[in-house]
Amino acid sequence: MSTWTETAEPGGEPLFPGTASDVAPDEIRRRVLPRLAAGISAMCTWGRLGRDCIPGDVRFMVIEFSVSPNIGFYVQILTEPDEVVLAEAVSPAWHSELRGRIGPAQRRALRAMGYRVGGRARNFQKEWTVGSPREARALANGLLDILVDVFGYRGRQPLIVHRHSDTRCSTDKVYLGMGAGDVRKILRAMGCEVALLDRGRLPAGMPRDLPARTVIVERPIPFSVVLEPRVARGSDACQLAAFSSELEGTEAVSDAAAVAASRFVRLGRLARNPDGNLALLLDLPLVGITMEGFVRSVRGWFDVRRATVRMLQSARGSSGGHRAPARTACSGRRRPRNPRRGPS
């Protein structure tokens, strides 16, 4: 198996067919190891990043056997381009039927092999580096040690392998840029009421030569979208959509409350407008985005706006009507930092 391929059969492919009587461990290794090592080597050979693979591509392999319809054992490995290989052996944490079969002796054996409990499934895990056929063979040997020496595989059941690929990258059609007409159509499809453009209703401070790249929305929330810059000279397509929604009645919100609220704005940022009101802003790239990604981002921004308004209303109610000074820590040049989102 010199080239990585996914398993064609839904039930997987047999690495060992299964026999009526026990098979010696050395014989199992002799028959399984070459094919398993070749499969792991192919799995970990990604080729050139950007041509043969991209960040976010994932390959994983599962080797399993069942001793009854309800009891099975498995080991699995997962790898991504330019990453170590994560190997796992099943634990009883999410498989209560294995509690009587993976006990203290098996746990000690796995710890001696360098495996530790981790991950959401609380499986036994270990990282391996596989950059050569020799290292692929070492990993294959290690997986067989678990199956044979720890889980007691003796060849009576078929030893099945599953090979699969996945990616965190969408394969949908992506935009190379959008025009204002594209944005209007998508927003209307989302249920937004897009207003007819009126020069007198353009957001404050907008140059008067930009109406062709401006979209005004009245409902479900009022906001504007300015597209900039153009992908190429003479093109109607732009690279970025700058969303802005003024939060009316927030001129009385103190700077401290605004800065506190900004820390919880995970999509977009808060800024103070010249009239003193706060505005929620979002810069959304239009190059390489799908329509689904555009819609998901805008809906997420809507959710953030609703939550921010509730938070600021509460802050305004407890501020005693204090009006923020003209120059604030949230003004355009001194925006509060928006910390990265931590683990969810």
Side-chain angles (χ1 to χ4, degrees):
M1 189 188 304
S2 58
T3 303
W4 169 257
T5 57
E6 296 196 32
T7 306
E9 294 79 1
E13 299 173 1
L15 281 173
F16 193 87
T19 60
S21 58
D22 285 355
V23 178
D26 287 347
E27 178 63 13
I28 294 173
R29 288 186 172 88
R30 185 188 69 81
R31 295 173 61 177
V32 173
L33 181 59
R35 185 178 173 192
L36 180 57
I40 293 174
S41 182
M43 176 181 179
C44 298
T45 302
W46 287 98
R48 182 178 174 182
L49 194 68
R51 183 190 66 187
D52 305 307
C53 61
I54 59 174
D57 285 350
V58 182
R59 293 172 180 171
F60 58 95
M61 180 187 297
V62 182
I63 304 104
E64 64 176 358
F65 69 95
S66 299
V67 297
S68 73
N70 298 320
I71 299 177
F73 296 87
Y74 68 80
V75 294
Q76 61 186 11
I77 53 176
L78 178 146
T79 185
E80 301 185 25
D82 294 333
E83 296 285 348
V84 295
V85 178
L86 178 65
E88 290 192 340
V90 64
S91 80
W94 281 16
H95 301 275
S96 57
E97 70 277 5
L98 296 177
R99 286 174 184 165
R101 295 173 177 264
I102 302 179
Q106 288 76 22
R107 293 174 183 273
R108 284 194 298 270
L110 286 164
R111 283 197 295 270
M113 295 177 182
Y115 284 79
R116 299 293 183 268
V117 173
R120 291 183 59 192
R122 307 301 294 164
N123 281 335
F124 302 97
Q125 297 182 332
K126 179 180 178 180
E127 292 183 345
W128 294 73
T129 298
V130 178
S132 67
R134 173 182 288 184
E135 291 172 333
R137 187 177 181 88
L139 174 52
N141 256 321
L143 298 177
L144 286 173
D145 286 344
I146 295 173
L147 293 167
V148 173
D149 298 336
V150 180
F151 294 159
Y153 180 69
R154 291 296 181 269
R156 285 182 175 266
Q157 305 85 16
L159 187 63
I160 303 298
V161 62
H162 304 265
R163 298 182 304 274
H164 298 287
S165 302
D166 202 354
T167 183
R168 293 188 293 276
C169 176
S170 171
T171 57
D172 297 332
K173 293 181 179 179
V174 299
Y175 286 92
L176 303 179
M178 285 189 189
D182 301 323
V183 172
R184 290 190 188 96
K185 291 173 186 176
I186 298 175
L187 292 175
R188 287 193 181 108
M190 294 175 60
C192 294
E193 184 177 323
V194 180
L196 294 176
L197 193 60
D198 182 348
R199 286 178 178 270
R201 300 177 60 199
L202 292 177
M206 173 178 287
R208 294 299 175 175
D209 61 345
L210 292 181
R213 287 186 277 154
T214 303
V215 179
I216 303 294
V217 174
E218 293 185 337
R219 295 181 182 84
I221 62 172
F223 65 93
S224 64
V225 186
V226 179
L227 276 66
E228 55 184 356
R230 298 184 187 276
V231 172
R233 179 176 296 180
S235 171
D236 292 331
C238 295
Q239 302 177 36
L240 185 77
F243 287 69
S244 176
S245 181
E246 183 166 331
L247 310 181
E248 294 183 357
T250 55
E251 71 279 0
V253 174
S254 69
D255 289 346
V259 171
S262 73
R263 296 193 182 104
F264 296 92
V265 176
R266 304 302 191 187
L267 186 64
R269 65 189 187 278
L270 279 176
R272 185 87 66 181
N273 283 342
D275 62 4
N277 274 321
L278 292 167
L280 185 66
L281 312 178
L282 172 68
D283 293 334
L284 184 61
L286 301 178
V287 177
I289 196 171
T290 64
M291 178 175 170
E292 180 183 6
F294 183 97
V295 170
R296 188 185 303 115
S297 296
V298 174
R299 285 178 175 161
W301 189 64
F302 286 174
D303 292 340
V304 169
R305 188 189 186 278
R306 283 190 286 268
T308 303
V309 168
R310 288 194 298 268
M311 188 181 306
L312 292 174
Q313 285 174 340
S314 176
R316 183 178 58 185
S318 62
S319 67
H322 171 69
R323 182 182 179 90
R327 288 187 61 82
T328 74
C330 289
S331 63
R333 293 188 180 181
R334 297 178 61 193
R335 292 169 182 152
R337 294 182 63 189
N338 186 12
R340 291 184 180 180
R341 186 173 187 173
S344 57

